[in-house]
């Protein structure tokens, strides 16, 4: 069963939130962060991308950079740009994209739940990326940015959230980059806090939607601190890390598409003919064509769009991995025909996710940079949960969640 707790969040004053908040550290590079921060000394990028305080080209892994993160975090608190709440509480964070709002509960997730598999993952993590985030958590002694969880739909929590959503939020702004609305409420009522804690206790699992490296880093640092503390009793703040938990049915997963540099020595005609072994191939013309359902793909080649329908028998409907379109396309197109076997390292392939859509695929092929594009139908949250429950791992580059969480609305200190 899932264990969570409220915490004393560290937050910007209402009138400063739009100066402090930022995009997550891993969706932009150092130069983009430098440009977005500009001359705004309150930007959270000074804590989560502190290399922007050094000369252009400075490595984000430089020991000076981690120290700068801690110095800046301390400065933000000293100057009152971040202020800690007096009481342990939960928070509600709402995001509105294209008229649809999803509501997340900001909680302290239990380190042991991550270690023993109550918090379930669906992606592999890389040790170097884990270590980078671990250094950041250690030096700041805080979870500066939240991780992104999903939980099974719950009518009690739904009703509680809706009650708060009908009141005036503490924060309410439109983010300048994505144009999405972000709102935030505090839950300080003891009865409501107890209800949330109890409802999570009934849940057999929580699911990492986005932020596998942050989750691993936060949990590993918490376990590390427990081991190093001879007076450890189990209720210390470092036993928990900050997560925003959304009802699974509210989440939006967008397509995560592929562009490839060449046809592995084949002509266009040979490639299309080879596809017919495993797919029903149909030319859809010059207008953008989006896959309409699972197991249908769209292909862009030589100025035309094609529908590819996976034939019966090319996938195992009882296998939570084998039934995925990312697996079907990897096996039958990328590996079998194009000799791309490692999606993480092969330089012949790139990925286009999120809101950029089919127009970006067309642009990259028409420019001559890429030879062919492949669009996939989005993975569902139920598929992700099924895979996590089975203990298996999703293929790489399978999910793209949107909107991304904004950072800096609330921070969790470990001490």
């Amino acid at each position: 069963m899932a264990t969570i707790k409220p915490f004393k969040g560290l937050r910007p004053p209402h009138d400063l939130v739009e100066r402090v908040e930022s995009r997550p550290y891993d969706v932009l590079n150092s130069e983009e962060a430098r440009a977005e921060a500009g001359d705004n000394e309150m930007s959270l990028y000074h804590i989560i991308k502190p290399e922007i305080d050094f000369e252009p080209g400075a490595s984000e892994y430089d020991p000076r950079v981690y120290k700068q993160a801690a110095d800046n975090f301390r400065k933000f608190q000293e100057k009152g740009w971040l202020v800690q709440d007096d009481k342990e509480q939960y928070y509600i964070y709402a995001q509105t994209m294209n008229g649809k709002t999803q509501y997340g509960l900001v909680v302290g997730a239990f380190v042991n739940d991550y270690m023993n598999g109550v918090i379930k993952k669906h992606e592999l993590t890389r040790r170097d990326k884990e270590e980078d985030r671990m250094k950041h958590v250690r030096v700041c002694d805080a979870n500066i940015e939240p991780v992104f969880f999903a939980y099974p739909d719950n009518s009690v929590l739904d009703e509680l959230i809706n009650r708060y959503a009908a009141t005036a939020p503490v924060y309410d702004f439109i983010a300048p980059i994505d144009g999405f609305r972000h709102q935030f409420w505090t839950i300080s009522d003891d009865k409501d806090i107890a209800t949330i804690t109890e409802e999570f206790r009934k849940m057999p699992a929580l699911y990492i939607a986005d932020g596998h490296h942050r989750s691993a880093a936060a949990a590993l640092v918490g376990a590390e601190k427990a081991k190093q503390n001879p007076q450890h009793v189990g209720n210390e703040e470092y036993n928990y890390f900050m997560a925003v938990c959304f009802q699974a049915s509210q989440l939006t997963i967008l397509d995560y598409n592929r562009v490839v540099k060449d046809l592995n020595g084949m002509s266009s005609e040979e490639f299309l003919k080879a596809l017919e072994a495993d797919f029903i191939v149909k030319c859809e013309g010059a207008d953008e064509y989006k896959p309409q359902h699972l197991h249908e793909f769209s292909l862009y080649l030589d100025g035309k769009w094609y529908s590819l329908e996976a034939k019966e028998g090319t996938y195992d409907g009882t296998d939570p991995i084998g039934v995925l379109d990312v697996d079907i396309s990897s096996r039958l197109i990328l590996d079998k025909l194009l000799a791309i076997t490692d999606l993480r390292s092969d330089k012949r392939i790139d990925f286009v996710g999120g809101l950029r859509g089919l127009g970006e695929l067309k642009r990259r092929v028409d420019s001559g940079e890429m030879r062919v594009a492949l669009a996939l139908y989005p993975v569902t949250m139920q598929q992700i949960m099924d895979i996590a429950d089975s203990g298996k791992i999703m293929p790489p580059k399978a999910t793209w969640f949107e909107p991304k969480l904004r950072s800096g609305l609330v921070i969790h200190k470990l001490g």
Side-chain angles (χ1 to χ4, degrees):
M1 301 300 110
T3 299
I4 63 166
K5 73 179 284 290
F7 62 97
K8 295 179 181 178
L10 188 68
R11 302 188 290 114
H14 171 268
D15 59 332
L16 298 183
V17 65
E18 292 184 70
R19 297 195 66 191
V20 172
E21 64 90 22
S22 74
R23 292 198 279 167
Y25 86 99
D26 56 350
V27 302
L28 73 172
N29 62 33
S30 303
E31 290 315 303
E32 288 168 330
R34 191 188 305 274
E36 281 187 31
D39 59 0
N40 176 16
E41 59 179 344
M42 296 184 198
S43 170
L44 196 76
Y45 291 130
H46 293 289
I47 300 173
I48 62 172
K49 302 283 286 182
E51 67 272 16
I52 69 173
D53 290 351
F54 295 88
E55 66 281 358
S59 169
E60 58 195 292
Y61 307 115
D62 188 315
R64 298 176 303 156
V65 168
Y66 293 106
K67 179 181 181 298
Q68 186 74 7
D71 290 345
N72 287 343
F73 184 40
R74 191 162 41 248
K75 179 174 89 172
F76 273 51
Q77 294 171 78
E78 289 168 354
K79 288 186 171 287
W81 303 340
L82 292 170
V83 180
Q84 189 159 24
D85 288 325
D86 295 330
K87 178 180 178 175
E88 290 191 341
Q89 51 199 347
Y90 292 121
Y91 305 88
I92 297 171
Y93 172 28
Q95 304 169 296
T96 302
M97 178 181 79
N98 300 334
K100 178 189 170 188
T101 302
Q102 59 190 35
Y103 295 90
L105 286 163
V106 190
V107 309
F110 194 32
V111 166
N112 286 1
D113 281 356
Y114 181 88
M115 298 302 186
N116 63 26
V118 171
I119 294 171
K120 294 179 181 287
K121 52 195 173 191
H122 65 264
E123 283 183 10
L124 293 172
T125 52
R126 282 174 37 187
R127 186 60 197 177
D128 59 335
K129 287 193 169 187
E130 282 181 16
E131 186 56 40
D132 164 54
R133 284 304 93 186
M134 287 175 73
K135 287 178 181 175
H136 196 269
V137 174
R138 284 189 200 110
V139 76
C140 292
D141 201 27
N143 309 130
I144 305 294
E145 298 183 272
V147 296
F148 183 172
F149 286 178
Y151 63 88
D153 287 14
N154 181 295
S155 59
V156 174
L157 294 177
D158 204 28
E159 188 179 323
L160 185 151
I161 289 168
N162 287 336
R163 177 157 44 85
Y164 278 86
T167 66
V170 177
Y171 306 141
D172 188 350
F173 62 91
I174 305 291
I177 296 293
D178 58 28
F180 303 143
R181 186 181 187 185
H182 301 267
Q183 297 167 288
F184 194 85
W185 294 261
T186 60
I187 300 177
S188 57
D189 179 82
D190 290 336
K191 186 164 174 288
D192 289 339
I193 288 172
T195 296
I196 293 168
T197 306
E198 184 55 36
E199 289 303 313
F200 271 81
R201 195 175 287 127
K202 298 174 185 174
M203 297 177 191
L206 299 175
Y207 299 85
I208 302 173
D210 212 359
H212 280 74
H213 289 96
R214 267 169 284 174
S215 298
L220 290 168
V221 170
E224 184 179 87
K225 290 171 85 70
K227 197 172 179 181
Q228 292 168 352
N229 181 7
Q231 276 80 47
H232 173 79
V233 293
N235 62 355
E236 297 88 352
E237 205 60 37
Y238 58 68
N239 292 291
Y240 297 84
F241 61 99
M242 182 170 59
V244 186
C245 306
F246 293 88
Q247 293 199 81
S249 66
Q250 291 189 355
L251 296 178
T252 300
I253 307 175
L254 300 182
D255 40 321
Y256 207 169
N257 303 317
R258 285 86 169 101
V259 284
V260 181
K261 286 183 182 294
D262 61 71
L263 297 181
N264 194 28
M266 287 182 278
S267 68
S268 298
E269 293 74 20
E270 288 168 335
F271 177 59
L272 290 168
K273 185 68 180 171
L275 284 169
E276 290 178 357
D278 297 307
F279 300 90
I280 299 166
V281 180
K282 181 183 174 190
C283 182
E284 301 289 349
D287 293 340
E288 290 181 3
Y289 183 80
K290 200 175 181 69
Q292 304 299 302
H293 51 79
L294 287 171
H295 311 327
E296 183 189 25
F297 307 83
S298 67
L299 184 85
Y300 184 67
L301 177 68
D302 297 338
K304 293 178 183 174
W305 291 89
Y306 295 84
S307 163
L308 311 181
E309 184 92 35
K311 291 181 178 178
E312 290 292 329
T314 57
Y315 55 89
D316 180 357
T318 65
D319 177 359
I321 296 290
V323 76
L324 292 175
D325 286 352
V326 285
D327 184 73
I328 295 168
S329 60
S330 291
R331 284 189 296 106
L332 302 181
I333 302 176
L334 300 178
D335 185 352
K336 182 178 176 180
L337 302 184
L338 299 177
I340 295 171
T341 57
D342 187 345
L343 300 189
R344 287 190 173 86
S345 63
D346 199 308
K347 301 294 189 221
R348 295 168 56 221
I349 190 168
D350 199 7
F351 304 88
V352 179
L355 300 168
R356 287 178 287 176
L358 300 185
E360 178 68 4
L361 300 184
K362 183 177 186 298
R363 185 193 69 77
R364 293 187 69 175
V365 173
D366 288 350
S367 71
E369 176 201 359
M370 295 292 180
R371 183 77 173 83
V372 65
L374 184 68
L376 281 62
Y377 191 79
V379 173
T380 68
M381 195 62 223
Q382 189 58 54
Q383 286 179 314
I384 291 174
M385 292 163 74
D386 289 345
I387 288 164
D389 286 339
S390 73
K392 295 187 176 182
I393 296 298
M394 295 274 284
K397 309 292 187 181
T399 59
W400 185 284
F401 287 88
E402 200 77 58
K404 301 295 185 187
L405 302 177
R406 302 300 287 193
S407 297
L409 306 188
V410 62
I411 288 166
H412 173 240
K413 296 179 78 171
L414 302 186

